[in-house]
Amino acid sequence: MLHAYRACSYTGLYLFPPNFMRNNYAFYTFFRDKIDSFYQKRRFLLHLNTKERMNQSGGDVTVPACFISTHAGFLGSIKTFIKDFEVSEIDVNGVNVKASSSVVFDSKPSSDSKGSVCSRDPGGPAAGPPSPESHSFGSDDVLSPSVSAELERFAAALRGQRSAALQLSLGSFPDKQQRANVHRAVRQRFPFLMTVTSQQEIKVQEDPDYRELSRLTGDEDAEEFFRFIDAKVPGSSHTFEPDDDKEHRTEVHRFLNRRFGKLVETKSFSEEERTSISVRLREHGRPRKRTAQDREDVYTAFTLRKENLETLEAISHMASALGVVPSDFTYAGIKDKRAVTHQSMVVKKVTPERLKEKSSEFEKWGMEVSHVRSVGEPLKLGRLRGNHFDLVVRNIKAHGTVSHAHLEGLVREAVENVKTKGFVNYYGPQRFGGSQTVQSDQVGLALLKEDMVGAVRLFFTPEDGDDPPNQAKRLFHQTNNPKEALALMPPSKPRERLMLRAMNRYGTGPDGCAQAWLSLPHGMRIFYPHAYCSRVWNEAVAHRLTTLGHSVKQGDLVWTEEKEIKDSGEATSPQIHVVTTQEEQSGTYTLEQLLLPMPGNTVKYPENAMATWYRERLARDGLTDCRFRVGSLKLNLPGCYRPLLAAPHNLQYELRRADDGVQDRALALTLNFDLNPSCYATVCLREIMKADTLS
């Protein structure tokens, strides 16, 4: 039996059977475009109604109304225009990809195309193989002249005395980014030193690994090896000076494998009757044999600029134009839809030349590609230093009635407060689906309960709109027929189409719905349980601040130190410490060091009233015995620790009056700042304005 398909236009109702729509997709597209203006009007009204509902209810329930500062705040409009909200990634080398996207690179292998323009030095070299110092600051750039000179003297004295007991304090560095710069600069300038952070103070001492290796190979070889480890250039290798003593070579092999075995692999080779040890980086930090397919894979990196487009929707358009599948694209993070965004991407099986040929086709969807070059591997999710934001808040007004002069003072006070104190590090509303009827965390809860059918039904819950995706979802809910819903689902919705296609093949029962979820890439699949855990975390923060206040209490969890570990090349995870009664009384720790756990199967919970709160909160959702594993979907949630507070870095702002010719000109605020990964600009704005911000 054919089910009627109803499409609403501004002039009336039309009835089309599904087969007609499948066989006349060109007409359907034409019809959809004809009523597009109506949809835009309707969405605008829905947007206003949503804002009104949020104001009446006191805010989005996924982001609690609990703040860290006490200023009055103000009202204003964000994202009035798309260009009022611009986001650009900061890559792992600290480079703003928007700045680097203007640099033209030749299409060369990855080992020759890793150079980049440092955002702090826009006039620097852009191409060429990286040197150990090419992506960092010197010690003179991040330390005061007096401290830098003292460090030089300390290093010289240490070389002479070889005493592991010697230590030098470089001072206190409250800003985490500044600490990272100091760690990196010291390590590259003095490979034989290691840095240790304790309560924001950085100390340096001799690295015992360096001391042991230099005993075996000499200082020159040891320094070169540590610089090689620190650079981590994919596919690179380091060769030690020839050594004809087999027993001695064996000792060097054993030391390297014991201390750096997760990062490198070693072998001996002979050349001109001399034998040397060669070291090369392992792929992804673990041993793996290269296959013929590995050698044939082509990876092309590029910077994507998109406007008013979801990341996954942009990928779907590009995949269709290039003749690949969406899973061939990798990225470091998902960016806002209603914004101008710049982010790094890598596409597999597409050469730089082909990507450049097709780039003109992307412009009709509001996309531009630049900085196109060959690389040797895909991009990993989360591989970024943070994001840079350029924002405009328009039509600023006070919550009450104040003069223009007082209003400017309110705004400056609010920005300076957040600049100094930071903001509560909530997950933003976009983590949960904004103002959708069914939010992502509800889908995630169903998956954690292993209710596959319920999760699918929630995922396909239609909104109030009559646009094609919602009409397809409504048809699926009414008929449980994935085939007919698939015929109506537009190509710009890759997740929905993948799941409908899987259910058309395997059915809509529990097994078929499980296959539908398995049809999504792992990163997309795990997003929903993570959204649920994020919501619990938001509620935990609000409860913690409301019941225990703004100081660190006995039983709280704090991070205590960061160490540089040479065999991995990265800083260790924060050392988790449970605050004692004595530490609470003496004020040993500050709120900036307080962590709260994201629910999972490996995290430690606070040892105070918050532990009871977590248990009761999970029990309320039926997760008393949850293992935070969904075996049938290959999902595992170990959990993590998230700082209660976050802070904008490099924050600058400007207040100005709109030049509209009216005497009572509206006040506008321009903000420029950086945030760490997984921190939300809308949440930062919310703390500044003490008002709800729609993403």
Side-chain angles (χ1 to χ4, degrees):
M1 176 180 177
L2 295 177
H3 299 276
Y5 167 75
R6 190 177 74 170
C8 177
S9 79
Y10 196 59
T11 56
L13 298 175
Y14 297 83
L15 293 173
F16 299 109
N19 284 340
F20 175 84
M21 298 305 294
R22 282 194 294 271
N23 298 329
N24 296 273
Y25 188 75
F27 173 76
Y28 160 69
T29 305
F30 170 77
F31 177 76
R32 182 189 64 192
D33 292 341
K34 289 287 288 181
I35 61 174
D36 218 20
S37 61
F38 166 71
Y39 292 146
Q40 291 174 359
K41 293 175 185 176
R42 183 183 180 98
R43 281 195 293 271
F44 177 70
L45 293 174
L46 287 171
H47 174 82
L48 294 182
N49 291 337
T50 301
K51 175 113 178 142
E52 183 179 354
R53 288 197 301 271
M54 289 176 65
N55 289 337
Q56 290 172 351
S57 64
D60 186 344
V61 293
T62 58
V63 186
C66 188
F67 303 100
I68 200 67
S69 300
T70 57
H71 59 264
F74 52 90
L75 300 172
S77 302
I78 69 167
K79 302 187 179 183
T80 305
F81 306 104
I82 296 294
K83 293 182 179 179
D84 285 352
F85 203 98
E86 188 164 3
V87 189
S88 48
E89 272 183 1
I90 302 171
D91 68 18
V92 290
N93 297 314
V95 178
N96 186 321
V97 301
K98 178 184 176 183
S100 66
S101 66
S102 62
V103 181
V104 178
F105 281 74
D106 294 329
S107 298
K108 296 179 181 179
S110 60
S111 60
D112 294 328
S113 60
K114 296 290 285 186
S116 57
V117 176
C118 179
S119 59
R120 288 174 172 79
D121 182 17
S131 66
E133 295 82 13
S134 61
H135 299 313
S136 65
F137 311 100
S139 57
D140 293 337
D141 298 321
V142 296
L143 299 174
S144 67
S146 60
V147 174
S148 185
E150 190 174 358
L151 178 60
E152 291 278 357
R153 290 193 294 270
F154 172 80
L158 190 65
R159 275 294 180 85
Q161 296 183 30
R162 288 285 177 172
S163 172
L166 286 178
Q167 270 194 345
L168 172 70
S169 173
L170 301 181
S172 181
F173 300 85
D175 183 75
K176 186 175 181 179
Q177 183 63 53
Q178 191 180 15
R179 290 199 301 273
N181 291 340
V182 173
H183 284 304
R184 194 161 56 252
V186 171
R187 186 176 63 237
Q188 292 175 351
R189 177 67 181 86
F190 305 105
F192 55 90
L193 295 181
M194 67 181 295
T195 53
V196 179
T197 302
S198 178
Q199 299 183 30
Q200 301 181 354
E201 181 188 17
I202 296 181
K203 298 179 181 179
V204 294
Q205 63 189 48
E206 186 180 26
D207 189 328
D209 288 340
Y210 177 90
R211 185 169 64 251
E212 178 66 15
L213 183 61
S214 64
R215 182 186 66 80
L216 293 170
T217 66
D219 282 331
E220 186 175 345
D221 253 348
E223 282 198 16
E224 290 301 317
F225 172 78
F226 274 86
R227 287 200 170 99
F228 156 75
I229 286 289
D230 185 60
K232 297 191 196 66
V233 179
S236 64
S237 62
H238 170 76
T239 302
F240 287 93
E241 288 296 315
D243 182 359
D244 297 324
D245 185 339
K246 185 176 181 180
E247 290 186 3
H248 185 260
R249 289 199 309 273
T250 300
E251 191 176 358
V252 175
H253 278 295
R254 286 175 177 170
F255 171 78
L256 294 174
N257 287 320
R258 184 176 74 252
R259 298 302 301 144
F260 306 97
K262 292 182 179 179
L263 192 62
V264 301
E265 55 186 23
T266 66
K267 67 175 182 179
S268 294
F269 71 97
S270 297
E271 186 176 12
E272 297 180 357
E273 298 183 356
R274 300 297 305 276
T275 304
S276 302
I277 295 176
S278 176
V279 182
R280 75 177 181 89
L281 290 174
R282 294 190 188 276
E283 293 185 6
H284 309 300
R286 58 173 63 91
R288 186 171 70 89
K289 292 183 178 179
R290 291 182 61 82
T291 64
Q293 183 178 352
D294 289 334
R295 291 188 290 273
E296 293 171 3
D297 281 343
V298 174
Y299 294 100
T300 297
F302 60 98
T303 299
L304 172 68
R305 180 192 184 275
K306 63 180 182 65
E307 188 170 317
N308 201 27
L309 201 63
E310 290 182 351
T311 299
L312 298 177
E313 189 176 354
I315 287 174
S316 178
H317 289 314
M318 291 189 291
S320 177
L322 293 166
V324 296
V325 295
S327 59
D328 286 327
F329 288 82
T330 51
Y331 45 86
I334 293 177
K335 298 291 175 279
D336 300 72
K337 174 184 178 180
R338 189 167 170 75
V340 176
T341 68
H342 307 259
Q343 66 185 116
S344 297
M345 281 195 181
V346 173
V347 60
K348 184 179 177 182
K349 305 174 188 174
V350 176
T351 64
E353 292 74 21
R354 177 163 174 75
L355 182 60
K356 291 175 182 177
E357 288 172 5
K358 291 289 184 179
S359 61
S360 60
E361 296 184 23
F362 304 155
E363 294 176 4
K364 61 184 177 184
W365 291 303
M367 296 184 291
E368 297 176 9
V369 298
S370 58
H371 196 204
V372 179
R373 73 275 187 199
S374 292
V375 292
E377 59 184 4
L379 189 58
K380 288 186 178 180
L381 194 64
R383 188 167 172 76
L384 71 165
R385 182 74 59 81
N387 293 285
H388 175 79
F389 296 87
D390 297 300
L391 313 180
V392 181
V393 184
R394 300 182 185 274
N395 304 315
I396 291 177
K397 300 175 183 177
H399 287 293
T401 303
V402 299
S403 67
H404 287 324
H406 285 135
L407 178 58
E408 291 191 16
L410 282 176
V411 175
R412 293 185 190 280
E413 178 193 14
V415 177
E416 290 293 340
N417 264 347
V418 172
K419 185 177 181 179
T420 303
K421 300 178 182 178
F423 58 93
V424 183
N425 195 20
Y426 294 120
Y427 288 97
Q430 56 267 55
R431 178 83 167 188
F432 312 100
S435 58
Q436 292 177 1
T437 302
V438 174
Q439 297 190 320
S440 304
D441 61 286
Q442 296 171 266
V443 179
L445 175 59
L447 290 176
L448 286 171
K449 291 181 173 180
E450 303 196 40
D451 178 9
M452 302 300 165
V453 175
V456 165
R457 302 291 290 182
L458 286 169
F459 178 83
F460 281 98
T461 299
E463 303 296 319
D464 294 336
D466 293 314
D467 54 319
N470 279 312
Q471 290 170 344
K473 290 179 179 180
R474 194 169 292 116
L475 180 64
F476 177 72
H477 262 263
Q478 293 169 352
T479 67
N480 205 37
N481 189 325
K483 185 176 182 180
E484 294 183 354
L486 179 61
L488 303 178
M489 188 65 70
S492 61
K493 296 295 179 181
R495 282 176 292 189
E496 289 83 351
R497 290 183 63 83
L498 284 169
M499 294 180 70
L500 289 170
R501 192 176 292 119
M503 287 188 288
N504 182 47
R505 180 176 180 182
Y506 297 105
T508 55
D511 292 340
C513 288
Q515 290 297 324
W517 287 110
L518 284 169
S519 70
L520 300 180
H522 181 270
M524 207 177 287
R525 213 159 55 232
I526 204 168
F527 168 81
Y528 297 96
H530 276 164
Y532 170 78
C533 295
S534 301
R535 179 165 187 158
V536 172
W537 192 92
N538 276 5
E539 294 177 14
V541 171
H543 183 79
R544 165 63 181 75
L545 291 173
T546 302
T547 59
L548 297 181
H550 290 194
S551 60
V552 176
K553 304 294 185 182
Q554 184 273 330
D556 278 337
L557 305 180
V558 295
W559 60 265
T560 57
E561 63 180 16
E562 303 164 61
K563 284 188 178 181
E564 288 296 323
I565 303 299
K566 289 291 186 176
D567 58 355
S568 68
E570 303 290 343
T572 60
S573 299
Q575 302 298 305
I576 307 303
H577 172 72
V578 181
V579 176
T580 65
T581 303
Q582 292 79 8
E583 289 169 337
E584 176 190 345
Q585 294 171 349
S586 63
T588 304
Y589 299 103
T590 64
L591 205 61
E592 288 77 11
Q593 293 170 281
L594 196 147
L595 305 169
L596 279 175
M598 176 97 78
N601 51 44
T602 65
V603 293
K604 175 191 295 186
Y605 289 95
E607 297 180 8
N608 52 26
M610 287 304 300
T612 303
W613 183 90
Y614 271 101
R615 281 196 305 271
E616 292 176 350
R617 177 64 184 83
L618 294 175
R620 194 161 72 241
D621 283 337
L623 298 180
T624 303
D625 300 318
C626 182
R627 297 179 298 115
F628 289 95
R629 286 189 180 90
V630 186
S632 58
L633 299 186
K634 302 177 183 177
L635 298 180
N636 177 45
L637 285 84
C640 63
Y641 302 93
R642 182 174 172 90
L644 185 144
L645 296 183
H649 307 295
N650 307 316
L651 189 150
Q652 297 178 331
Y653 65 97
E654 179 187 4
L655 276 170
R656 55 185 173 80
R657 295 283 173 183
D659 189 13
D660 52 12
V662 181
Q663 184 176 1
D664 187 19
R665 294 176 299 169
L667 191 64
L669 172 66
T670 301
L671 289 160
N672 315 100
F673 55 88
D674 302 336
L675 289 178
N676 290 337
S678 193
C679 294
Y680 292 79
T682 48
V683 174
C684 181
L685 278 176
R686 194 170 177 268
E687 182 88 36
I688 292 173
M689 298 169 65
K690 296 296 176 67
D692 291 303
T693 55
L694 287 174
S695 57

